[in-house]
Amino acid sequence: MKKIALIIKREYFIRVKKKSFLLTTIGVPLFIIGFYAIIIAISLDESGGSDKNKIAVIDEAQLFDGKIENTNPNIVFSIIKNETESNYLKKYQTAGFDAFLFIPNDSISKNKSIYNLHSITSMNLPLMSSIEETINEAIKRKTLIANGINPEAFKKMIHPVELENTVDTETGEKKSFAGVAYGVSFACGILIYMMMLIYGTQVMRGVSEEKTNRIAEVMVSSVKPFQMMMGKIIGIGAVGLTQFAVWICLMFIIQMAIPLVFPDLMHQVNNSTTSSSENMSMVSNVLQGLSSLHLGKILFSFLFYFLGGYLTYASIFAAIGSVVSEDQQEAQQLVFPVMMPIILGFVIMTKAVNEPNSSLAVFGSIFPLTSPIVMMGRIAYDIPNWQIAVSMLCLICSFLFFTWIAGKIYRTGILLYGKKPSWKEMIKWAVKKS
Amino acid sequence: MDFLALHHLKKYFADQKAVDDISFNISSGSIFGLLGPNGAGKTTLIRMITGIFFPDHGHIDFNGQRFNPMVDSAKIGYMPEERGLYKKMKIGEQALYLAQLKGMSKSDAMESVKKWFVKFEMESWWNKKVEDLSKGMSQKLQFVITVLHNPQLIILDEPFSGLDPVNANLIKEEIFALAKNGATIIFSTHRMEQVEEICDHIVLVNKGKKILDGTVHQVKQDFKENIYKLGANVIAEQLMTGLFEVVKYEPNQLLLKLPEYTTTNEVLNYFINHQVKINSFNEVLPSLNDIFIKIVEDTTATRKFESIH
């Protein structure tokens, strides 16, 4: 045990002390968050950031009845009277307008659908669609009045509905937040998938490096090959857990720090939530949704499935690393069949987040080679506890089984140089009694 | 007293009898030569002695008791033929790590590493990485790592390859000193002149079987061909005798092969009676190199793959 601890320590510290570990653990998330922060800051900064666009309108059709209902703060409409299109086309720039919209006389009667906006520079898309919206609203209003319907009454009639889902459980009914569950599931599934691949291949590379460096022979004269393998796997797994821990800490720190660094930002978010009911309902929905999830359960499952999946695959990757020599192509050939269930798991997971209770999703979340990824895709939804229990049990069994088999292949492979053994030979090693 | 006793060791691989019923004893504090051509089964034999492989059959007694790899591996230092170290790890840390894996406490390991680094003038290497070392330097480091934990049994596979004469001598002296302090040393090599110089006892294996076992002196006696070197000016007519056979004739030196019934005194008498002035007369023993080549050539040197089952 003392020797395994020594090996774990070495494998752990040699990786954690590397500059690249610091870079990926702290740098990458900071970079991503910083990137999003800039995007959010820019997009929230609507009023101050961009200039107001002054638009001149010649309304021959009296579409707007002399008054334009404008919802976009970036646009200022001015209705120009007693001018013709061809005349004003030369003047609007000198009059200080950015663009000029002409609505011809016959636009309503002919159901005209294309209007022309003249501008000095090309107009951006959100601005265009905002103007389109304004015109559409005006046309709708005119048409309603023409058909004898009061536009105000009509507005009250068409009220958009929102669908909420209530799940009836034994403990009572509660709201389900499919969107939030979807997001959390997908994120967890992808994270597990990535971590398993990244750390699994790290184990493989570490083992094949030991073999080609010939340190393996020195090592096995003092420790058992199985201790060597487990030490490496646990050490690298600990690196992964450290990375998670750092990320979680970073998340908390950033949550605390954002209001301090960007007080305006939070202010604006608060403003927008109070001013627009739609925004508020979304934010509160997400918050409610998050609190409705069993975060503790998700975190626990995440750790469990990460460890279970990682340990299962890492031992297989270690066995592969032990049989290949320098030739990376050989490794690729052997890795391919191992990658297939991982990729399959990923594909099932993308389905499972949409249909968490389909039979494919249930199978995928119990079958141990795909369960770490697929189960994380389902865990945020309410799924029967027995499925989780069976899935975890299967994963533990498969971890023990694969570690046992891989240990046998590793023991023989690590000291064998020359040609790559065939699958048949490896199976022979695996079933051979020690 | 025998430090190590191998009893009928067998290890068969899928298509080869790597070690096929080998037994021998190694006495405590001796320097033992394990010889054999490439692919004779030496490495497999060594791997069984170090506990890396379990023998299919037979057993090993280590220091008077049944060999238990879990316990005894800490008392063995093994320097494999293919050197192996972590290239990217700092040398000092690496030596500490490997010594601790052999069961030393951190402080003991530190003390021992420092002692050896000073002895081999390697102190300045501490923070260097193995990839920065030349071949000879990493060879020295590998030797130090092998003996760091004061092993009772030291197994050295080609320890001098890649070393210049100065460093080779340094390590040779160290090997003698270790043996003098009671360590038993197994020395595996193809360089017969080193074996003659260093080893007390040798075993020659070929094709998985032991074909020679004895002290260097004894083996040479066993393989001597009664050849004597005579330093004298002899004219050809004086060699017309049935007493001996001339193997090689040079103006002032002769190599004579004596048949079994002829004694050296008779030969000397013969030359004295012929008024030949004798400068020197001595027996020529075969070198281990000659013996090695003779034995190995008798059996087919290259192993053929065979089916075991």
Side-chain angles (χ1 to χ4, degrees):
Chain A
M1 266 338 269
K2 210 186 125 207
K3 286 179 181 175
I4 286 199
L6 272 170
I7 296 172
I8 293 172
K9 222 167 86 185
R10 190 198 90 90
E11 297 292 342
Y12 179 78
F13 282 110
I14 206 138
R15 286 180 173 76
V16 172
K17 279 182 187 165
K18 264 192 204 160
K19 284 191 195 86
S20 57
F21 174 78
L22 210 70
L23 206 73
T24 49
T25 308
I26 298 180
V28 171
L30 277 186
F31 176 77
I32 292 172
I33 289 164
F35 186 70
Y36 278 110
I38 290 169
I39 288 179
I40 291 169
I42 290 173
S43 64
L44 279 178
D45 199 15
E46 281 173 347
S47 46
S50 52
D51 292 326
K52 284 191 194 288
N53 287 282
K54 291 184 193 163
I55 296 173
V57 181
I58 292 185
D59 187 9
E60 277 186 357
Q62 290 302 312
L63 196 61
F64 297 107
D65 289 331
K67 177 177 151 272
I68 298 177
E69 270 184 42
N70 180 18
T71 52
N72 191 333
N74 284 347
I75 302 176
V76 178
F77 289 108
S78 309
I79 293 178
I80 309 296
K81 285 171 186 159
N82 309 323
E83 283 280 4
T84 60
E85 187 191 11
S86 50
N87 244 345
Y88 202 65
L89 203 53
K90 293 156 201 154
K91 286 196 235 162
Y92 79 96
Q93 294 182 30
T94 46
F97 290 107
D98 298 301
F100 160 48
L101 177 69
F102 178 68
I103 297 171
N105 207 358
D106 54 356
S107 47
I108 297 175
S109 57
K110 283 191 176 169
N111 263 340
K112 192 173 160 65
S113 61
I114 297 175
Y115 295 82
N116 197 1
L117 181 73
H118 301 278
S119 67
I120 307 164
T121 54
S122 67
M123 284 304 213
N124 65 39
L125 210 56
L127 219 63
M128 297 274 277
S129 56
S130 175
I131 296 168
E132 274 169 13
E133 182 69 15
T134 310
I135 299 172
N136 274 334
E137 277 300 314
I139 291 174
K140 199 160 90 187
R141 198 184 148 82
K142 278 276 173 201
T143 319
L144 286 170
I145 291 170
N147 286 295
I149 302 166
N150 182 356
E152 302 304 318
F154 181 76
K155 216 178 226 173
K156 277 175 193 153
M157 271 190 277
I158 47 160
H159 187 73
V161 295
E162 219 172 284
L163 197 60
E164 277 183 357
N165 177 208
T166 305
V167 181
D168 303 314
T169 60
E170 284 150 26
T171 52
E173 58 178 32
K174 64 180 176 191
K175 274 187 175 177
S176 152
F177 295 91
V180 176
Y182 181 91
V184 169
S185 303
F186 209 80
C188 287
I190 285 184
L191 207 55
I192 288 242
Y193 166 79
M194 275 171 34
M195 295 304 258
M196 259 169 36
L197 276 187
I198 291 171
Y199 288 103
T201 46
Q202 251 191 52
V203 169
M204 183 177 77
R205 250 186 292 132
V207 170
S208 86
E209 189 195 332
E210 265 172 2
K211 181 180 171 169
T212 50
N213 273 359
R214 310 272 175 154
I215 181 81
E217 198 157 352
V218 178
M219 295 283 290
V220 290
S221 69
S222 23
V223 295
K224 281 169 138 188
F226 188 73
Q227 292 176 315
M228 230 171 113
M229 186 179 95
M230 285 319 287
K232 182 169 282 291
I233 289 175
I234 296 171
I236 293 177
V239 175
L241 289 179
T242 309
Q243 209 153 40
F244 279 139
V246 172
W247 284 345
I248 288 171
C249 287
L250 271 180
M251 252 162 57
F252 275 109
I253 292 170
I254 285 166
Q255 256 182 359
M256 310 286 238
I258 281 181
L260 294 176
V261 182
F262 304 106
D264 293 350
L265 192 86
M266 292 316 282
H267 187 65
Q268 282 194 12
V269 170
N270 284 340
N271 264 355
S272 64
T273 50
T274 46
S275 64
S276 137
S277 63
E278 200 179 302
N279 270 352
M280 188 172 85
S281 75
M282 208 188 87
V283 168
S284 72
N285 247 342
V286 169
L287 289 177
Q288 271 186 48
L290 279 175
S291 62
S292 81
L293 298 173
H294 300 286
L295 280 181
K297 180 174 137 196
I298 290 175
L299 198 68
F300 169 76
S301 317
F302 186 83
L303 284 179
F304 181 89
Y305 282 104
F306 167 66
L307 283 179
Y310 164 75
L311 289 173
T312 304
Y313 276 104
S315 56
I316 300 175
F317 277 120
I320 292 176
S322 77
V323 298
V324 297
S325 40
E326 279 106 307
D327 194 354
Q328 282 303 307
Q329 223 162 356
E330 283 181 1
Q332 288 308 318
Q333 285 170 15
L334 286 173
V335 163
F336 185 65
V338 181
M339 296 285 277
M340 285 206 299
I342 299 183
I343 293 168
L344 185 70
F346 185 77
V347 172
I348 297 178
M349 187 272 286
T350 57
K351 295 261 173 221
V353 290
N354 288 317
E355 294 170 64
N357 289 313
S358 65
S359 53
L360 181 68
V362 173
F363 166 77
S365 63
I366 289 174
F367 181 61
L369 289 179
T370 53
S371 69
I373 301 171
V374 180
M375 190 54 107
M376 281 324 291
R378 300 179 64 209
I379 199 85
Y381 301 94
D382 280 297
I383 51 172
N385 281 330
W386 69 265
Q387 286 183 5
I388 300 180
V390 171
S391 158
M392 287 186 166
L393 198 70
C394 282
L395 191 59
I396 291 173
C397 291
S398 85
F399 151 63
L400 294 174
F401 173 74
F402 279 111
T403 310
W404 178 66
I405 292 281
K408 289 181 150 203
I409 294 175
Y410 180 91
R411 195 181 57 195
T412 314
I414 194 94
L415 292 172
L416 203 80
Y417 297 99
K419 78 173 179 79
K420 185 192 80 180
S422 64
W423 283 103
K424 208 176 120 194
E425 279 173 285
M426 278 191 269
I427 290 167
K428 224 186 223 172
W429 299 345
V431 297
K432 197 175 69 178
K433 271 187 259 159
S434 50
Chain B
M1 191 204 127
D2 289 335
F3 186 78
L4 201 68
L6 278 55
H7 300 286
H8 305 286
L9 289 190
K10 284 184 190 170
K11 182 80 188 176
Y12 293 178
F13 294 129
D15 49 5
Q16 250 187 7
K17 294 179 177 175
V19 169
D20 193 11
D21 197 6
I22 289 184
S23 309
F24 56 80
N25 299 339
I26 302 175
S27 52
S28 202
S30 68
I31 303 180
F32 182 91
L34 179 60
L35 318 178
N38 296 322
K42 280 177 301 183
T43 306
T44 309
L45 201 54
I46 289 175
R47 283 181 178 174
M48 284 192 278
I49 297 171
T50 49
I52 295 173
F53 285 167
F54 288 105
D56 293 341
H57 180 265
H59 67 272
I60 299 170
D61 286 331
F62 185 93
N63 208 1
Q65 285 178 344
R66 201 46 96 81
F67 178 55
N68 176 4
M70 291 291 280
V71 182
D72 295 329
S73 68
K75 300 170 192 157
I76 300 176
Y78 174 37
M79 179 171 171
E81 181 179 4
E82 296 279 356
R83 313 291 172 238
L85 292 167
Y86 289 108
K87 287 199 175 73
K88 305 253 179 226
M89 202 175 173
K90 283 181 184 165
I91 288 164
E93 279 175 23
Q94 179 146 233
L96 271 181
Y97 172 63
L98 291 171
Q100 280 175 277
L101 278 186
K102 281 287 185 189
M104 288 182 108
S105 72
K106 195 169 184 184
S107 56
D108 286 352
M110 182 62 101
E111 199 178 310
S112 175
V113 171
K114 278 189 174 156
K115 188 188 90 188
W116 280 98
F117 272 38
V118 169
K119 193 183 244 174
F120 276 41
E121 295 172 346
M122 288 158 46
E123 301 102 306
S124 63
W125 300 6
W126 193 274
N127 281 322
K128 287 264 183 311
K129 288 179 181 167
V130 174
E131 58 188 359
D132 301 330
L133 298 181
S134 72
K135 192 175 175 227
M137 286 159 110
S138 60
Q139 187 83 332
K140 248 164 105 174
L141 176 64
Q142 192 96 46
F143 178 80
V144 167
I145 282 170
T146 309
V147 298
L148 269 179
H149 55 292
N150 304 316
Q152 290 170 272
L153 178 64
I154 300 166
I155 301 168
L156 304 169
D157 203 344
E158 295 286 1
F160 302 121
S161 73
L163 284 180
D164 62 58
V166 177
N167 279 316
N169 226 30
L170 187 74
I171 287 188
K172 205 189 314 174
E173 291 308 316
E174 219 41 68
I175 292 173
F176 284 131
L178 286 164
K180 213 172 159 191
N181 291 332
T184 306
I185 289 157
I186 297 177
F187 182 53
S188 168
T189 183
H190 299 122
R191 308 279 299 275
M192 294 302 142
E193 76 280 2
Q194 290 171 353
V195 177
E196 273 183 62
E197 198 181 343
I198 296 172
C199 298
D200 313 319
H201 194 117
I202 59 166
V203 155
L204 181 68
V205 293
N206 193 19
K207 298 179 81 181
K209 290 194 185 297
K210 182 176 84 172
I211 43 181
L212 198 64
D213 184 353
T215 62
V216 174
H217 178 75
Q218 187 57 49
V219 167
K220 285 188 162 196
Q221 289 297 324
D222 290 349
F223 279 83
K224 73 176 179 186
E225 290 171 311
N226 270 356
I227 291 177
Y228 290 83
K229 188 161 82 184
L230 178 76
N233 280 316
V234 186
I235 47 172
E237 292 92 88
Q238 290 166 330
L239 298 173
M240 307 300 268
T241 170
L243 266 178
F244 51 79
E245 198 182 305
V246 180
V247 181
K248 199 172 171 191
Y249 180 86
E250 278 168 33
N252 48 14
Q253 186 171 294
L254 284 173
L255 280 185
L256 308 173
K257 184 173 165 70
L258 275 59
E260 262 171 49
Y261 50 82
T262 313
T263 66
T264 48
N265 284 8
E266 285 171 331
V267 175
L268 285 173
N269 265 333
Y270 173 83
F271 282 112
I272 291 164
N273 290 338
H274 282 78
Q275 311 297 323
V276 175
K277 183 174 172 282
I278 298 167
N279 294 324
S280 64
F281 184 74
N282 56 290
E283 187 175 16
V284 177
L285 287 174
S287 69
L288 280 181
N289 212 31
D290 297 336
I291 297 172
F292 184 93
I293 290 169
K294 187 175 187 304
I295 295 177
V296 172
E297 275 184 345
D298 282 351
T299 55
T300 23
T302 10
R303 301 188 77 159
K304 294 194 171 58
F305 289 101
E306 50 192 321
S307 172
I308 301 282
H309 301 292

